[in-house]
Amino acid sequence: QVQLVESGGGSVQAGGSLRLACAASRNTYSSNCMGWFRQAPGKEREGVGVIYTGGGQTSYADSVLGRFTISQDNAKNTVYLQMNGLKPEDTAMYYCAAGLGGNVCYLESQYFAYWGQGTQVTVSS
């Protein structure tokens, strides 16, 4: 059974930082596209960033480029989303997602088969 377990959400003031973690089973994690998405109330889900765990390549949405960083820990089968310079517009439920393998990662939800339960990030001004 595929499991993605997110942690690390919370509330922070604008300009602050948070780090989200997504722990996966080994089979799900290895050589796969692991993505982060977010959805704010009344808005569509949007991609934040993605990492290919087989080589560490990353890609980010323009809205978070330079502020957010995705990293991986192969020993823990975990990917992280480090969020710096947070803004009120970053407030959303953040989801971790895993693809079905392959080494070309697209930051679009239809390419991801498995999803975590989500973790709330709230940024106050």
Side-chain angles (χ1 to χ4, degrees):
Q1 183 178 359
V2 175
Q3 270 195 314
L4 300 173
V5 181
E6 298 135 336
S7 60
S11 298
V12 65
Q13 289 191 328
S17 299
L18 284 173
R19 188 178 78 157
L20 308 183
C22 174
S25 59
R26 181 174 182 178
N27 287 343
T28 301
Y29 173 89
S30 297
S31 297
N32 200 4
C33 299
M34 300 288 292
W36 287 97
F37 292 79
R38 65 186 182 186
Q39 187 166 20
K43 294 187 177 181
E44 293 187 356
R45 182 169 53 192
E46 64 171 339
V48 174
V50 62
I51 186 168
Y52 173 61
T53 60
Q57 296 91 339
T58 55
S59 179
Y60 299 94
D62 289 345
S63 58
V64 305
L65 194 62
R67 299 188 297 125
F68 292 10
T69 303
I70 298 176
S71 61
Q72 63 186 102
D73 185 333
N74 294 337
K76 297 181 179 179
N77 297 331
T78 298
V79 296
Y80 301 95
L81 179 66
Q82 177 67 44
M83 304 184 292
N84 298 328
L86 282 161
K87 305 175 181 180
E89 51 262 44
D90 294 318
T91 295
M93 186 71 78
Y94 282 70
Y95 297 91
C96 173
L100 288 171
N103 59 2
V104 180
C105 302
Y106 299 96
L107 192 52
E108 296 177 29
S109 57
Q110 63 262 38
Y111 293 101
F112 292 84
Y114 308 105
W115 294 82
Q117 80 283 1
T119 185
Q120 178 68 36
V121 171
T122 302
V123 184
S124 59
S125 57

